[in-house]
Amino acid sequence: MATAGSVLTEEQLLCPICLDLFNQPVSTPCGHNFCRDCIQGYWHSANLSQCPMCKQKFYRKPELKVNVFISEVALQFKKSLEKKDENEASTADQSSGHEGDVLCDVCVGKGVKALKSCLDCLASFCETHLEPHHVLGTFKKHRLIDPMMNMQNRVCKKHEKLLDLFCNTDQTYVCHTCIKRDHSTHHTVPIEDVSRDRRAHIGRINAEVEEMIHGRLEKISEINQSLQLSRGNTEREIEESLQVFNNLLHIVQRGQAEVVEAIDAKQKQVEGKARGLIMELEKEIDDLRRRNAELDQLSHTEDNLYLIQSFPAFSTLPATKDWSNTCVESAVYVGTVRRAVRRVACQLEETVKTEVKRLCETEFQRAQQCAVDVTLDPDTAHPKLVLSENKKQVFHSDLALSLPDNPERFYPGVSVLGKESFSLGRLYYEVQVKGKTEWDVGVGLESINRKGGNILNPETGYWALGMRKDKSYWALSSTPIRVPLVGKPQRVGVYVDLDWGQVSFYDVDAASHIYSFTGYSFNERLFPYFNPRRNHGGVNSAPLIISP
């Protein structure tokens, strides 16, 4: 009987998707076979039920059944291949030495390790068969080298001579006969020279690779250090937040305990008064019951004289109190909880103000640690903007400068960008706005429109804070948000965290937070943005000054 291997070839038993022997083969309605996991994975990734081979579409995902016949044939074929590989490996082990060893070409089938290879004989020899090269004068002139495999590949196929030259013109290996016939006008050099150059090149590449490895190891170390620093910062931030909220919670819990104590005290007062009245009433009840018993006993006596004589002593009631107007008021709490809550709220408000101020100062100090040097880019400045020589100041002038209308220049918006751009990490810079009645500062994307009337908001690529002549301050979002400020900032700090998508503004002198844009994704480079706005006849002529 024919085996599976003699009936079918390996190609016929390979899955068209994974290119390996079938594993649980299934057939599609169009007649093609695939591994079950492969075709199911293909349909899932493509989100479409169709045959990968003929592209026939199935409107309903077919119910797949394992083709038992093909599965058995593939299994038998696999076993036959494994057995063949084992036999070949066994034969190779018997006829050769260790893997990688160069064997003697004379000791055929014995697997004897070669000691040297001869460039003239183009063969490798063991110690025994190398003896003529040491004894006979003819062989003593032969060039012996360390054992090398495939010596026949070192012979010119055309002239059967040693390939010991390299043609730089054709970039190929040649023998001396090749030079005379086909490469006479070409630039050829000995292989040793080429090898020496290649070794030097390899050395340079290796040095470059080692430098790249070193650089990446340093980068890993830098990342680990940053990660460790981040963990420390996170732990400190969590600890600080827990302390703040525990303080606030303690105030609430203490206020709750105080109001509960006051309510309990009032209830105990009512209960004490009630107990006193009840005790007094119970004493009078005891006296009246005793008199009632005595009168009942007297009324049942048969001694008439004794009854008449004793009656005067029992004719009056025991001394009692008039209880008609006596009552115990229930505890009613008018304003008790309200006053307690208000007191707690005042304490909370003071504590929150103190904590917020402290946190703002800490936040501001951390932002300042990310300070960068910013200068103004004259190529982006509106023609009526005047920049200082050190590119740190800008103000609006009524006289326009004669400047080229390049694509980077703002017009008609009286704006200018910083020369420096940023795409990663954090940055902070300060702008003096003292003496101005209008201004806009912030950051803008590289792709912002610099021609025509610009609306400043994140949708158009700007994240900015502005002041207007009515002394109002605005966060320039899609719907501008008025920012109530107690004081008038003289210097504004701008902090940007590009990785977290945050832009924040601070009153530098008060070390207080003004406003933050959060939750954005910066897919382009960011530039500092400045708009001193028009001078309005000198009223707003003070410059915007980038603080050092």
Side-chain angles (χ1 to χ4, degrees), residues 525-541:
R525 301 182 72 83
L526 281 179
F527 290 81
Y529 172 78
F530 309 88
N531 187 338
R533 300 187 71 86
R534 301 185 184 278
N535 61 27
H536 298 298
V539 176
N540 189 37
S541 60

Side-chain angles (χ1 to χ4, degrees), residues 135-195:
V135 177
L136 300 177
T138 306
F139 293 113
K140 283 185 178 181
K141 296 181 180 180
H142 286 194
R143 292 166 293 174
L144 298 176
I145 60 173
D146 291 333
M148 287 190 176
M149 294 182 179
N150 304 322
M151 289 297 292
Q152 62 275 14
N153 292 338
R154 300 173 179 273
V155 179
C156 177
K157 305 296 183 185
K158 187 183 295 185
H159 307 113
E160 296 185 354
K161 299 290 184 180
L162 184 66
L163 295 171
D164 53 0
L165 297 168
F166 183 77
C167 177
N168 284 320
T169 305
D170 292 339
Q171 291 291 300
T172 185
Y173 304 99
V174 294
C175 66
H176 282 278
T177 306
C178 291
I179 294 177
K180 296 175 182 178
R181 295 186 179 181
D182 303 322
H183 302 265
S184 59
T185 59
H186 293 180
H187 178 248
T188 57
V189 293
I191 282 183
E192 289 80 2
D193 294 348
V194 179
S195 175

